[in-house]
Amino acid sequence: MTHNQLDVDVLKNAAHLAKSLSDGNRLRILLLISQEKKSVSAIVQELNLSQPLVSHHLKELKHSLLVTVQREGPFVYYQLSDSRSLDMVHALSELATDLLSAKKNF
Amino acid sequence: MTHNQLDVDVLKNAAHLAKSLSDGNRLRILLLISQEKKSVSAIVQELNLSQPLVSHHLKELKHSLLVTVQREGPFVYYQLSDSRSLDMVHALSELATDLLSAKKNF
DNA sequence: TGTTCATATAAATTTCCATTTATGTGCTGA
DNA sequence: TCAGCACATAAATGGAAATTTATATGAACA
């Protein structure tokens, strides 16, 4: 009972993490900042998204602890906090692609 | 340009898959049917959720191709379609737990 | 100090999603 | 055929989330 309740809590955390990964623009941001830190304006330019939208998604990614923030003068740099997040994005992409291609071959 | 667009599409599929994994009750269902197929009523009982709610989540999981369906008489059995989905749930749980515990140690 | 640039936040809108309640559909056995 | 069980679907509700538009904060520099 108690043990099962613990599982439920862990799964709730996992679900929350998955929710952070459930937006295409956020995944694009994660990939972009996976190799080197990027300023908000750099992300805005490279992904061609509005600045408030990027700030909004970065706030969400920060809240779910997927990114870290670092201010340098007028710029604010974001970078991936844990490399496993990148593996997760790749695993999601691979599984999604495989599931879809398997469907087409029925 | 075209190549980047392809990436965007793959990421959109990955995001959609993540969205299917972004609900605690759906994760509980996936774990429950990961070892053996289960009927809807069995899932309802074991997870203590309402029957329409379970049906709703199963429909979502089926739509994202995470589960397969099999009718046997009056019962409808659901099971995991790909064992990597289970790995994904575990990876999400582990990463979420680690990110949270790292936060507490600052 | 005031202007400019980088970023964050607020407000408003639209869409989506989880859950409940109520009802329908399909299979089985009397 | 009809009564009952298993499951699905519809409708309604409340709440969250993505995006846009507008505005505020905060740092650098003249």
Side-chain angles (χ1 to χ4, degrees):
Chain A
M1 188 81 74
T2 298
H3 182 259
N4 188 47
Q5 186 61 31
L6 279 180
D7 286 343
V8 169
D9 282 348
V10 169
L11 287 181
K12 224 178 280 180
N13 293 334
H16 182 261
L17 178 60
K19 190 176 297 173
S20 293
L21 300 172
S22 72
D23 181 275
N25 284 330
R26 279 199 289 272
L27 295 186
R28 294 174 70 199
I29 292 174
L30 288 178
L31 285 186
L32 193 59
I33 65 177
S34 63
Q35 301 306 325
E36 48 177 359
K37 65 183 180 188
K38 298 262 187 181
S39 68
V40 176
S41 48
I43 299 172
V44 165
Q45 280 200 329
E46 298 195 42
L47 297 187
N48 196 31
L49 299 173
S50 76
Q51 180 268 317
L53 183 56
V54 169
S55 274
H56 168 75
H57 284 311
L58 287 171
K59 184 180 185 177
E60 174 64 33
L61 292 172
K62 176 188 170 189
H63 184 251
S64 61
L65 306 174
L66 286 168
V67 304
T68 57
V69 196
Q70 179 183 356
R71 177 145 219 157
E72 284 185 20
F75 296 94
V76 178
Y77 292 93
Y78 286 82
Q79 66 179 340
L80 216 59
S81 67
D82 192 308
S83 63
R84 284 177 292 174
S85 311
L86 183 60
D87 302 335
M88 193 81 75
V89 176
H90 287 141
L92 282 169
S93 298
E94 185 178 345
L95 181 55
T97 300
D98 290 357
L99 290 176
L100 285 172
S101 70
K103 184 190 178 69
K104 295 203 168 184
N105 293 356
F106 105 99
Chain B
M1 189 81 73
T2 298
H3 182 259
N4 190 46
Q5 188 60 32
L6 277 180
D7 285 343
V8 169
D9 281 348
V10 169
L11 288 182
K12 224 177 282 182
N13 293 335
H16 182 262
L17 179 60
K19 192 176 295 176
S20 293
L21 300 172
S22 72
D23 180 275
N25 284 331
R26 280 198 289 271
L27 295 185
R28 294 174 71 200
I29 292 174
L30 288 178
L31 285 186
L32 192 59
I33 65 177
S34 63
Q35 301 306 325
E36 49 176 0
K37 65 183 180 188
K38 297 263 187 179
S39 67
V40 176
S41 49
I43 299 171
V44 166
Q45 280 201 328
E46 298 196 42
L47 298 187
N48 197 31
L49 299 173
S50 76
Q51 180 267 313
L53 182 57
V54 169
S55 275
H56 168 74
H57 286 312
L58 287 171
K59 185 180 186 178
E60 173 65 32
L61 292 173
K62 176 187 170 188
H63 183 250
S64 60
L65 306 174
L66 286 169
V67 304
T68 57
V69 196
Q70 180 184 354
R71 176 145 217 156
E72 283 184 22
F75 296 94
V76 178
Y77 291 93
Y78 287 81
Q79 65 179 339
L80 216 61
S81 66
D82 191 308
S83 64
R84 285 176 293 173
S85 310
L86 183 61
D87 302 335
M88 193 80 75
V89 176
H90 287 141
L92 281 170
S93 298
E94 185 178 343
L95 181 55
T97 299
D98 289 357
L99 290 176
L100 285 173
S101 71
K103 183 189 179 71
K104 295 203 167 184
N105 293 356
F106 105 99

